[in-house]
Amino acid sequence: MAAVRVRQHQQQHVQQPITPPSPQPTIIRRKKTNQKFEKMMLLALVSIIIVLSVLVLNNQAAIQTTSMDIQKIEAEADEIAKQNVDLTVRVSELSTYENIWKKAKELGLTQNEKNVKVVPGE
């Protein structure tokens, strides 16, 4: 009997150590109103981002169009400036005394000193 008691006593000591019970993870339940609010806020944020993106793209397109128009107008202004320079050179060539005299002879005009009047002050 003594052997049985020793075995029972040893079996009692061999039992697994007692571990404290692990705490159950707490589950936080959200209210449905918060989820709806968050979804609406996310939808509003995405909508605002999309609208702003479209506005930025629209402005960039308008800027590009305006830049192209400015370049066309500048090219036209340069062409007109060249034409003005050419016409100025032509006027100076045609307004020489020899060219005026030649044109007058072609039209049948003659030089009459009796018909010349002098204007003072100029």
Side-chain angles (χ1 to χ4, degrees):
M1 278 243 197
V4 174
R5 280 188 187 169
V6 173
R7 266 190 182 176
Q8 287 177 353
H9 187 48
Q10 286 177 353
Q11 286 176 357
Q12 287 176 357
H13 288 291
V14 176
Q15 292 178 352
Q16 294 182 359
I18 301 173
T19 57
S22 62
Q24 293 286 335
T26 56
I27 299 173
I28 300 174
R29 294 185 182 185
R30 292 184 177 180
K31 295 179 182 178
K32 289 186 178 182
T33 56
N34 285 345
Q35 287 179 350
K36 288 180 182 178
F37 177 74
E38 289 175 0
K39 287 180 183 178
M40 291 300 291
M41 290 302 291
L42 181 63
L43 182 64
L45 179 65
V46 169
S47 300
I48 290 172
I49 290 173
I50 289 172
V51 167
L52 291 177
S53 299
V54 168
L55 288 176
V56 167
L57 290 175
N58 188 23
N59 286 340
Q60 290 295 327
I63 289 170
Q64 183 68 24
T65 304
T66 305
S67 295
M68 290 172 48
D69 291 342
I70 289 171
Q71 288 177 351
K72 288 178 184 177
I73 292 171
E74 286 177 348
E76 289 174 5
D78 289 341
E79 184 63 31
I80 291 173
K82 288 178 185 177
Q83 289 176 357
N84 285 342
V85 169
D86 291 341
L87 291 174
T88 304
V89 169
R90 184 165 175 166
V91 165
S92 65
E93 288 174 357
L94 293 176
S95 65
T96 61
Y97 183 75
E98 292 83 22
N99 283 335
I100 293 173
W101 185 247
K102 182 180 171 183
K103 189 66 173 178
K105 282 186 179 181
E106 287 176 8
L107 295 174
L109 299 175
T110 58
Q111 191 174 17
N112 186 359
E113 292 184 15
K114 294 179 186 176
N115 204 12
V116 176
K117 293 184 181 178
V118 178
V119 179
E122 288 190 19

